[in-house]
Amino acid sequence: HTGSSSTRYEQVKALEEEPATRYTTLTYDMSQVNQILSQIKAEVDRPAVSATRVDDDTKWPPFSYTDDEAGQTLDITGLNERICAMVDTLESGVVDLTPVPVEATVTRAQLEAQIVKLSSYETTVGKTGDYVESRTENIRIGTERFNHLIIRAGESVSFNKVALKRTEANGYQPALEIAYGNYVQGIGGGICQVSSTLYNAVLYANLEIVERACHQFQVGYLPWGMDATIYWGSLDYKFRNNTTYPIRILAEASGGYVRVRFMGTETKDYTVELDYKATMTHKSKTEEVEISKGMKNYDKYKDYKDGERIQVGYDGYEVDTYRMKYDKNGKLLSTEKVNHSSYDWRNRLVAKLVEETEPPTEAPTEPTESPTESPTEKPTEPEPTEPPTDAPTESTGGDEEAP
């Protein structure tokens, strides 16, 4: 205040008659408040911990899990704004410091739920034909060798290595198999149905095919181009787990079916379908095999009835197999050619029974006079047509095959 007392008195009296309004500005330094809030936040904040998975081959899934833990965080930005508002309005009170929960990015439940069926496939086991019981047993043994097999990430699988050599010592029995174009008895016949069923499960799981060969002839239990034959020492079926997680195989042969399932962590966001395109290269025909007592190998064919099938015929085909990928809405994402198969042809053979002419029962009457000319020689009878040496009674399909 300035001026004499009388001057100040006059100023006060004037304000009584004509009041004047004056404004002030409140300023404050929040740096210390922010420092305190930051210290409190450092003590309160706790990061969330995601669940983890550790390899453990002693169990399935082949993992041990660590639990996820929720975290918490203190929002000091919101607290700062609340304190400033109270100071501006000269409001007194208490500021509640309540942390906000933070969920783990990956929970144990999520990891455990990722173990799903990646693919599955089944084929029908024939119930008729030669060696059906032993063939079924060979299939059972083969699937048993693959059941519960765990394939590590990046690991390759050899069918022959897992199924073992087809010997009686390894449990396999004699059954029909394809060898050099014919069905013959061999140890382990039928094992190719296991490799072929496995092959389709691999295709649907979108795993990598390392080695595969088709049968010489088409098989009846699978679409064309989707079989995989094997033969110890020369033909193998191999595939690789090209995912970043282990896969477990579940395989069984029961109730007339071969079933293979792949279990593991789903990494693909699409579905897989298979299809093929076939081009005929040779149309098979039906040939008759004349069967008579005078033919070679008569004992082998004497039980055939007239018109009965001796050998199954096959048309020749060139087949391309394709794998299509679709998104969740059914839109085609890609089409990939996964293999090419060349199937041989052979004609169908049926039995034709030929009756031989019976010789006369009485000797002819001798002529009274000698003939003036030499009698005509008896014509030589033609040799009967000889069928292939190894003709099956029916097609069994899926047997171990020699190249």
Side-chain angles (χ1 to χ4, degrees), residues 67-306:
D67 291 325
D68 54 283
E69 297 179 7
Q72 61 183 20
T73 184
L74 185 64
D75 181 11
I76 61 174
T77 301
L79 291 173
N80 187 297
E81 294 174 353
R82 172 63 178 152
I83 293 172
C84 288
M86 294 176 67
V87 172
D88 287 340
T89 59
L90 301 179
E91 177 187 350
S92 64
V94 178
V95 177
D96 188 13
L97 304 181
T98 303
V100 178
V102 178
E103 297 297 329
T105 304
V106 180
T107 66
R108 177 168 180 166
Q110 289 173 329
L111 291 179
E112 292 178 338
Q114 288 178 342
I115 305 300
V116 299
K117 182 176 70 175
L118 303 177
S119 69
S120 64
Y121 202 81
E122 69 176 32
T123 56
T124 304
V125 179
K127 298 180 180 180
T128 60
D130 296 339
Y131 303 96
V132 62
E133 293 182 359
S134 57
R135 183 177 185 276
T136 301
E137 177 63 12
N138 292 336
I139 292 174
R140 186 196 66 79
I141 292 173
T143 55
E144 190 175 77
R145 296 262 158 81
F146 280 89
N147 194 30
H148 301 301
L149 178 68
I150 295 177
I151 314 167
R152 313 304 310 181
E155 182 181 4
S156 294
V157 176
S158 161
F159 185 91
N160 282 335
K161 184 177 180 180
V162 176
L164 302 180
K165 188 174 183 178
R166 270 65 74 186
T167 64
E168 292 181 334
N170 287 331
Y172 293 103
Q173 300 181 9
L176 286 184
E177 63 182 24
I178 302 175
Y180 304 98
N182 293 307
Y183 282 94
V184 298
Q185 177 183 302
I187 304 298
I191 192 67
C192 281
Q193 184 157 355
V194 182
S195 61
S196 295
T197 308
L198 183 68
Y199 174 56
N200 280 264
V202 169
L203 287 177
Y204 278 104
N206 198 36
L207 303 184
E208 179 185 346
I209 307 300
V210 178
E211 180 180 342
R212 173 262 178 188
C214 67
H215 287 79
Q216 181 177 3
F217 304 112
Q218 308 154 20
V219 295
Y221 54 84
L222 278 169
W224 293 350
M226 299 179 192
D227 58 311
T229 187
I230 44 88
Y231 193 80
W232 187 266
S234 58
L235 296 176
D236 199 357
Y237 168 55
K238 298 178 182 179
F239 64 95
R240 190 176 75 88
N241 176 7
N242 55 352
T243 73
T244 55
Y245 299 98
I247 292 176
R248 187 190 195 190
I249 298 177
L250 300 179
E252 64 173 344
S254 62
Y257 293 93
V258 181
R259 297 183 178 93
V260 175
R261 288 176 290 164
F262 280 25
M263 308 295 294
T265 302
E266 185 62 89
T267 59
K268 60 182 186 297
D269 56 357
Y270 54 83
T271 59
V272 172
E273 296 293 338
L274 301 177
D275 201 358
Y276 67 91
K277 293 182 179 179
T279 303
M280 181 184 291
T281 58
H282 192 97
K283 178 67 176 176
S284 63
K285 300 178 181 179
T286 298
E287 295 182 359
E288 292 182 338
V289 178
E290 295 184 351
I291 300 176
S292 64
K293 293 182 179 180
M295 69 179 293
K296 295 179 180 179
N297 297 326
Y298 173 71
D299 288 341
K300 187 173 183 178
Y301 300 100
K302 64 182 181 180
D303 294 329
Y304 283 104
K305 299 178 181 179
D306 193 56

Side-chain angles (χ1 to χ4, degrees), residues 40-54:
I40 297 174
K41 178 179 176 63
E43 296 176 4
V44 172
D45 279 8
R46 184 177 69 251
V49 178
S50 291
T52 60
R53 186 162 50 194
V54 181

